[in-house]
Amino acid sequence: MNIKKINNSDEDIKKLQTIAKQTFTETFGSQNTAEDLAKFLSEEYAFDKLKAEVENPESFYYFCYFEDELAGYLKLNVGAAQTEPDYPEALEIQRIYVLQKYQGKRIGLAMMQQALAVAEELKKPQVWLGVWENNFKAQAFYQKSGFEKVGSHDFVLGDDIQTDYILVKEL
């Protein structure tokens, strides 16, 4: 397994766009309408939006490779790049996605360890994330990783307002 920081090259942004759309669709496509999914993917994973996020010095994107194949990706945020203002001194894990065919190979665990290493390096007292209330598999993974539910916030997928639980891990 190899985790590599994403470069600000058009090639890396296109790879990010492809894997982001694929993993999100694999994870949530069957539980949402095609219209809401299409709207979300076109807005959130637009090339220019992803490029701006990769260029943001307060966001960190990583690709995770399994046997030289791109298997997943990770997005971390600090400071003003975080999606919630409630944890200004923390590190946010905004996205941690693994392609379905690579699930069960401890790739999520490797990316979680990467996130915690970055938090430690940046001397962050806590890490937080949002997880969809209906994503029970991810919730179990985060609970095993030491995260505790502290609240919730809205997550808009297309025109559908959903609930994400906010989970925090003290470091």
Side-chain angles (χ1 to χ4, degrees):
M1 206 161 329
N2 182 21
I3 297 178
K4 177 186 130 204
K5 197 158 194 220
I6 294 177
N7 295 318
N8 184 21
S9 67
D10 284 359
E11 180 185 342
D12 270 9
I13 305 297
K14 286 177 186 163
K15 277 194 330 195
L16 174 61
Q17 186 179 42
T18 299
I19 195 169
K21 287 180 177 182
Q22 184 178 347
T23 54
F24 196 89
T25 301
E26 286 178 355
T27 306
F28 303 113
S30 66
Q31 297 167 296
N32 292 281
T33 68
E35 296 79 18
D36 283 335
L37 187 65
K39 182 176 180 182
F40 179 84
L41 294 176
S42 69
E43 291 172 359
E44 291 302 312
Y45 300 134
F47 182 88
D48 289 341
K49 181 170 184 169
L50 290 174
K51 188 166 181 63
E53 290 176 0
V54 170
E55 289 174 348
N56 184 335
E58 292 187 313
S59 290
F60 314 97
Y61 270 104
Y62 299 89
F63 285 140
C64 187
Y65 294 88
F66 183 82
E67 296 177 355
D68 296 327
E69 295 285 325
L70 182 56
Y73 80 101
L74 171 68
K75 181 184 182 198
L76 309 175
N77 298 314
V78 295
Q82 294 183 82
T83 60
E84 286 288 332
D86 298 342
Y87 308 95
E89 299 305 315
L91 178 132
E92 174 189 17
I93 300 174
Q94 185 181 355
R95 297 181 185 139
I96 184 168
Y97 285 101
V98 177
L99 289 167
Q100 251 175 10
K101 74 182 207 175
Y102 295 106
Q103 291 185 5
K105 300 188 183 305
R106 304 180 68 82
I107 293 166
L109 180 61
M111 289 194 290
M112 177 62 72
Q113 290 169 340
Q114 174 70 27
L116 296 175
V118 170
E120 192 175 299
E121 183 182 316
L122 297 174
K123 300 188 181 345
K124 297 297 181 185
Q126 57 188 191
V127 176
W128 75 275
L129 55 85
V131 60
W132 189 32
E133 66 182 338
N134 295 320
N135 190 346
F136 306 113
K137 185 177 173 184
Q139 289 177 42
F141 170 71
Y142 297 135
Q143 187 176 20
K144 254 201 243 178
S145 297
F147 285 81
E148 294 182 15
K149 180 181 168 190
V150 297
S152 65
H153 65 185
D154 289 342
F155 180 86
V156 181
L157 195 144
D159 293 322
D160 186 23
I161 299 173
Q162 302 179 353
T163 300
D164 272 7
Y165 294 143
I166 294 176
L167 307 181
V168 172
K169 177 182 175 88
E170 300 294 330
L171 299 179

